[in-house]
Amino acid sequence: MVYLFLSEPNWIDEVDSESTKMRISLLNQLESVLWSLMMSGGRSEARLWLCNTIAEMSSITPHHQRELFVKLLRSMRQKQGLASQLLLLMFEKSPQKGGFILVKRSYVLEKFFEGNPRRISQWFSSFSSGSGLEHGKGAKALSQFAFINRDICWEELEWKGKHGQSPAMVATKPHYFLDLDIQRTVENFLENVPEFWSSNEFAESIRDGEILFIDRQFFVQYFVDLMYKEDSKDMWEVINEFIMEQPFSSLSRHLLITLEELDLCYFLELLCKLLKPKKESTSFDRGSHLFEIILSECSGCGSIDQILLLNAIITQGRQLLRLSRDEEAKEEQAKINDILSKISAIPSSINSLTPFFKNCFKMKNVEVIKYLGLQCWLLYYRLSQECQTPQSWESLFVENEIHYRKSDKYALLDLDRSSDESIFYFDYRESAVVKHRKRQKGKSKRRKKEHDDIYDDELLDFDAKNHGLDVQSTTGSCWLLSTDGYSTSWTSADLPEHLYKHCLLKWMTCFFAKRVEGCFKESATNDEK
């Protein structure tokens, strides 16, 4: 029998110190095994999990994320990797911001084009053939400037033919610009027409930032120099603006993975100062609240090992399960099975975790989260092993007083079948499963119904075979549960993870609610004294 311990603990029970000590000792062993699994491929994967968890946090405001990332950027003058990654993201998401910076400094692009025929060709060669298409941005800037300032620069235009073209001729036939020798012309402008590089025509051509994509690395280095060597005010204003506009999730996923571990520790410290989570919360309706408490409790520890472990336990249960099933992890898997066997041998009842819960009141918050998280992950591991059939799942629901509705998620294939016909209701107080069906009228309708049922079964079987799915998980083993208000249809494959997360949040809510109540009582007693 697998207990999920979803009932309110009986807080008046005496603490069974021996069983509690045994459970904690076994959970400490499990901690070592899981850490070994996480580190088997290096720390990079565990750090990626941590970055993904941070990215999912929803309590960070745009102003907070600006403060957070700008502080980090300004602290890393000697390490330009983060700034470079941010700038590449800005080029991708908002290239016009880079264009805005360049418009004020268009003259610097003389160096960009000097001695580089490839860049010259890419930016200035797109002249219109007269078929309705406009000149490219660089070509348009060159032609407009040449017409407006023909008295100072027309002679610098180099033509491929035997003779050049006059302004009057090109004005009537713009496609003549196709005969321009772009490379030689631009080289002439670089040497003899400095006015072009600071002109409005050229500045306008780079305003939208399209020029950044000709050579991203050149502009990344130029902007990094503006940030750190020149401490350019307008450059930092653009950075501030861009950071505030981007989703926190996007910034975190793109930037945090580039940090060295020491810098990631500094980021976590900054993040913790902004969060200030309410540890007395009695409703852990989101896993990220637990993670905020972990950050708060672990801040200043000088190492992120504990954060990596706790994050893996409470948010990456599926990934840990995957690692435990790896072919190269047979030794660790054997250890987990042994720990599971010993913990399962501890006398169980629906309230068997009460002594364990009560013992947790002696611990710090972060220790409570660790032990409850380890216990919960072990439950996840056990469910994924032992619950392999629809009958085993339904037995689990009944034993743990979980209301459920069983529904064929492919019912839409049968257009004549009402959605109510495929739903089963369970009430643990009656311990009965009642299948509701509507009566069919008329033999022809019954025959059609039977034909449709057979057809549906064939379709389901075909789908399962052709997509490598578990037939049990697609034909008759799909449930709606009271654990989430019947809002999601769960299959056998996803139920262990759902129940693991549900139990974790339920246990945390229960424990911290009691801890707050205890604090209130203690405070009231002290006031009376």
Side-chain angles (χ1 to χ4, degrees):
M1 184 178 293
V2 181
Y3 283 117
L4 302 182
F5 312 111
L6 297 177
S7 299
E8 177 74 17
N10 187 356
W11 298 106
I12 63 173
D13 284 352
E14 293 185 5
V15 174
D16 184 348
S17 58
E18 289 304 316
S19 66
T20 299
K21 287 179 181 179
M22 182 184 300
R23 187 182 297 273
I24 290 177
S25 175
L26 290 168
L27 291 178
N28 284 331
Q29 293 176 37
L30 178 62
E31 176 185 352
S32 298
V33 175
L34 294 182
W35 182 256
S36 176
L37 280 173
M38 288 168 56
M39 295 299 106
S40 60
R43 302 172 68 89
S44 58
E45 187 169 16
R47 286 178 53 192
L48 178 61
W49 296 347
L50 177 60
C51 294
N52 287 338
T53 298
I54 294 171
E56 292 170 2
M57 297 175 67
S58 58
S59 58
I60 306 299
T61 67
H63 287 87
H64 279 165
Q65 70 187 39
R66 179 189 63 186
E67 179 181 349
L68 186 63
F69 283 103
V70 170
K71 277 186 178 180
L72 188 62
L73 284 165
R74 286 194 174 276
S75 71
M76 299 178 66
R77 290 180 177 271
Q78 305 304 318
K79 303 175 184 178
Q80 300 177 0
L82 179 66
S84 298
Q85 193 68 20
L86 177 66
L87 290 167
L88 288 171
L89 183 62
M90 186 177 77
F91 293 174
E92 178 187 342
K93 301 292 185 180
S94 302
Q96 72 279 2
K97 293 189 183 299
F100 170 79
I101 296 297
L102 291 177
V103 163
K104 297 182 176 182
R105 303 167 173 83
S106 60
Y107 57 87
V108 303
L109 292 179
E110 288 183 72
K111 181 180 179 181
F112 179 69
F113 289 109
E114 260 178 15
N116 200 306
R118 182 186 63 82
R119 293 174 183 170
I120 290 173
S121 177
Q122 282 186 275
W123 191 244
F124 292 103
S125 292
S126 301
F127 284 102
S128 171
S129 62
S131 58
L133 298 176
E134 292 187 356
H135 295 321
K137 292 181 174 63
K140 182 178 180 180
L142 189 63
S143 61
Q144 286 182 340
F145 182 86
F147 273 122
I148 295 172
N149 301 278
R150 53 188 175 273
D151 55 325
I152 65 170
C153 72
W154 196 265
E155 294 302 320
E156 303 298 335
L157 302 179
E158 298 283 351
W159 303 92
K160 296 176 183 177
K162 294 181 180 179
H163 57 82
Q165 302 291 347
S166 67
M169 183 62 70
V170 177
T172 58
K173 297 180 179 180
H175 64 276
Y176 277 11
F177 270 119
L178 292 171
D179 294 330
L180 204 61
D181 187 322
I182 297 300
Q183 183 177 336
R184 291 171 58 197
T185 297
V186 174
E187 288 173 349
N188 288 346
F189 273 53
L190 286 168
E191 185 175 350
N192 303 317
V193 193
E195 297 87 350
F196 171 69
W197 305 103
S198 57
S199 68
N200 291 333
E201 290 78 17
F202 182 62
E204 191 61 32
S205 74
I206 61 178
R207 186 177 299 277
D208 65 356
E210 185 179 326
I211 196 171
L212 299 170
F213 300 102
I214 292 179
D215 192 332
R216 290 177 175 86
Q217 290 306 317
F218 174 90
F219 291 109
V220 164
Q221 188 57 55
Y222 176 65
F223 289 156
V224 165
D225 289 344
L226 287 180
M227 292 168 65
Y228 295 121
K229 290 184 178 179
E230 299 184 24
D231 196 20
S232 167
K233 181 180 178 181
D234 59 344
M235 186 69 230
W236 279 106
E237 286 176 351
V238 164
I239 294 296
N240 275 263
E241 185 180 83
F242 176 73
I243 289 175
M244 286 192 66
E245 291 174 354
Q246 295 305 300
F248 180 72
S249 59
S250 176
L251 292 172
S252 299
R253 286 194 169 93
H254 282 87
L255 304 181
L256 297 186
I257 199 63
T258 67
L259 297 178
E260 296 178 6
E261 196 155 295
L262 189 62
D263 298 318
L264 184 57
C265 282
Y266 178 60
F267 175 86
L268 293 173
E269 289 179 18
L270 294 175
L271 180 61
C272 181
K273 292 176 182 178
L274 292 177
L275 290 173
K276 298 179 181 178
K278 296 181 179 180
K279 301 172 191 175
E280 69 274 12
S281 173
T282 58
S283 178
F284 293 92
D285 57 346
R286 53 188 177 88
S288 59
H289 192 111
L290 288 176
F291 181 69
E292 291 176 15
I293 292 179
I294 288 173
L295 286 183
S296 176
E297 294 291 326
C298 297
S299 64
C301 64
S303 170
I304 64 171
D305 286 1
Q306 192 172 34
I307 296 176
L308 291 174
L309 176 69
L310 294 177
N311 173 65
I313 293 169
I314 70 171
T315 73
Q316 304 293 327
R318 183 186 287 261
Q319 301 299 335
L320 285 177
L321 188 65
R322 173 181 58 79
L323 290 179
S324 71
R325 290 174 171 173
D326 192 277
E327 283 293 327
E328 299 178 358
K330 291 184 178 179
E331 182 180 347
E332 286 81 2
Q333 188 175 21
K335 290 180 181 178
I336 294 173
N337 288 334
D338 182 58
I339 293 170
L340 175 59
S341 176
K342 291 177 180 177
I343 285 187
S344 299
I346 296 175
S348 294
S349 71
I350 201 162
N351 283 317
S352 68
L353 278 186
T354 297
F356 180 58
F357 277 148
K358 294 185 74 171
N359 190 76
C360 286
F361 285 114
K362 305 174 185 177
M363 304 176 186
K364 296 178 179 179
N365 287 330
V366 72
E367 291 179 308
V368 173
I369 294 172
K370 181 183 75 172
Y371 285 121
L372 292 184
L374 287 167
Q375 176 69 46
C376 206
W377 185 86
L378 199 61
L379 179 63
Y380 179 21
Y381 182 86
R382 184 179 180 185
L383 290 177
S384 67
Q385 278 194 326
E386 297 183 15
C387 294
Q388 299 292 331
T389 66
Q391 293 74 23
S392 62
W393 280 115
E394 290 169 20
S395 176
L396 177 81
F397 300 152
V398 173
E399 291 163 358
N400 290 276
E401 302 182 349
I402 296 175
H403 297 247
Y404 72 89
R405 301 173 186 172
K406 185 177 177 184
S407 175
D408 180 358
K409 65 179 179 178
Y410 294 94
L412 289 177
L413 291 175
D414 185 350
L415 300 179
D416 288 337
R417 184 185 300 175
S418 161
S419 60
D420 290 338
E421 293 181 73
S422 59
I423 296 179
F424 297 73
Y425 295 90
F426 166 72
D427 190 324
Y428 67 88
R429 289 168 296 184
E430 299 176 0
S431 299
V433 176
V434 183
K435 184 176 182 180
H436 294 277
R437 294 183 178 272
K438 291 185 178 179
R439 294 185 176 181
Q440 305 295 329
K441 296 182 180 181
K443 293 183 179 179
S444 60
K445 191 168 185 178
R446 282 199 299 270
R447 283 198 219 72
K448 182 179 187 300
K449 177 68 179 174
E450 291 169 358
H451 176 271
D452 287 347
D453 285 341
I454 294 172
Y455 181 62
D456 284 355
D457 289 342
E458 290 175 349
L459 282 176
L460 295 176
D461 188 58
F462 176 81
D463 181 81
K465 290 178 180 177
N466 282 275
H467 293 85
L469 300 175
D470 180 0
V471 175
Q472 291 177 344
S473 70
T474 59
T475 57
S477 58
C478 189
W479 297 272
L480 297 166
L481 303 180
S482 59
T483 53
D484 61 356
Y486 309 101
S487 61
T488 303
S489 183
W490 298 102
T491 65
S492 297
D494 295 322
L495 267 172
E497 184 175 28
H498 165 64
L499 292 176
Y500 144 75
K501 291 180 177 179
H502 176 73
C503 289
L504 181 61
L505 296 180
K506 186 82 173 179
W507 296 355
M508 293 297 175
T509 299
C510 176
F511 173 81
F512 280 98
K514 194 64 179 178
R515 170 163 279 185
V516 169
E517 180 184 330
C519 290
F520 287 158
K521 286 182 179 179
E522 183 178 346
S523 176
T525 302
N526 291 335
D527 289 342
E528 289 176 2
K529 292 179 180 180

